[in-house]
Amino acid sequence: MQHLYIAKEKFGPFSGTAWTMYINWSGLTQLSEVVSLDGMLGPVAMGEVKDSYWPHIVNEDYMLDFFVDLDFLLSELADPGDLNVLNVIRRPSVDVRSLDWNGFTFLGYDLLDQDVSISALTNCGGFPDVFANTELSDVGLIPDFDRAVEIRDHLRGMHPSEYANCDLWAISRWQGNEGTPQLY
């Protein structure tokens, strides 16, 4: 399982009217923030891919925002404390919450479409026949691996659409001033 890194803009109550509109639309009143790879609910902080990024990013369709080199990513950020710097694992085959995330705190599992752009958990209007909104943590993730796998499999079977054909992602977040992330 490969650790990948990405910096995302934060999305929460500090986002003003956009947050209020999102909570009203989604009904996810338990959220204190959304921590997701969903591009609509927190744009990528790095913007356009620069030539200098190529040796440090995943060279794959829909993956150009993911870095394999944490030190490089951090060196490109003006102030990482203002962002969600995430350590993620794509398609984990086992529960990874007990891993030593080395300066990152494990938050939970997300389900993203194949383009890694839309979260089936927080940005599809809900799938009440598959999971309840109350199953999501206060950052919009599923804390339990087995339940996340079950939701992924049911979405694929019950909702054969682009957004329900999801990959499982494990997400951890750097705690900023609480410690410097360590490389693996």
Side-chain angles (χ1 to χ4, degrees), residues 40-63:
M40 294 175 69
L41 302 177
V44 174
M46 299 298 283
E48 190 174 322
V49 176
K50 298 177 184 174
D51 287 343
S52 61
Y53 292 2
W54 288 107
H56 307 282
I57 60 176
V58 178
N59 292 279
E60 218 178 286
D61 286 344
Y62 313 114
M63 298 293 293

Side-chain angles (χ1 to χ4, degrees), residues 101-168:
W101 288 86
N102 293 324
F104 290 77
T105 300
F106 177 76
L107 298 177
Y109 298 95
D110 202 352
L111 296 170
L112 277 290
D113 66 346
Q114 299 300 305
D115 296 347
V116 194
S117 61
I118 303 292
S119 170
L121 300 178
T122 55
N123 202 10
C124 285
F127 293 96
D129 57 337
V130 178
F131 68 93
N133 281 349
T134 57
E135 291 185 73
L136 301 182
S137 70
D138 67 339
V139 292
L141 301 173
I142 297 290
D144 182 77
F145 174 77
D146 292 330
R147 182 63 180 133
V149 169
E150 182 179 38
I151 291 169
R152 179 201 62 200
D153 293 348
H154 281 102
L155 282 173
R156 287 177 177 172
M158 296 173 71
H159 297 278
S161 72
E162 176 181 339
Y163 300 122
N165 183 18
C166 303
D167 281 330
L168 182 67

Side-chain angles (χ1 to χ4, degrees), residues 8-11 14 33 45 78-85 174 176:
K8 304 276 293 182
E9 300 286 336
K10 292 182 177 182
F11 183 59
F14 39 82
E33 179 183 3
D79 185 0
D82 289 342
L83 303 168
N84 277 326
V85 177
W174 179 42

Side-chain angles (χ1 to χ4, degrees), residues 6-107:
I6 190 168
K8 304 276 293 182
E9 300 286 336
K10 292 182 177 182
F11 183 59
F14 39 82
S15 303
T17 305
W19 178 256
T20 303
M21 291 172 55
Y22 170 74
I23 294 299
N24 290 338
W25 168 79
S26 70
L28 297 171
T29 57
Q30 78 273 28
L31 298 183
S32 61
E33 179 183 3
V34 173
V35 179
S36 174
L37 300 176
D38 188 300
M40 294 175 69
L41 302 177
V44 174
M46 299 298 283
E48 190 174 322
V49 176
K50 298 177 184 174
D51 287 343
S52 61
Y53 292 2
W54 288 107
H56 307 282
I57 60 176
V58 178
N59 292 279
E60 218 178 286
D61 286 344
Y62 313 114
M63 298 293 293
L64 300 179
D65 297 322
F66 293 89
F67 287 75
V68 295
D69 183 336
L70 176 61
D71 280 340
F72 180 82
L73 171 61
L74 292 173
S75 75
E76 293 292 307
L77 300 173
D79 185 0
D82 289 342
L83 303 168
N84 277 326
V85 177
L86 305 176
N87 176 342
V88 300
I89 298 174
R90 178 174 51 162
R91 300 182 194 125
S93 57
V94 297
D95 191 350
V96 296
R97 69 183 135 185
S98 62
L99 286 178
D100 178 3
W101 288 86
N102 293 324
F104 290 77
T105 300
F106 177 76
L107 298 177

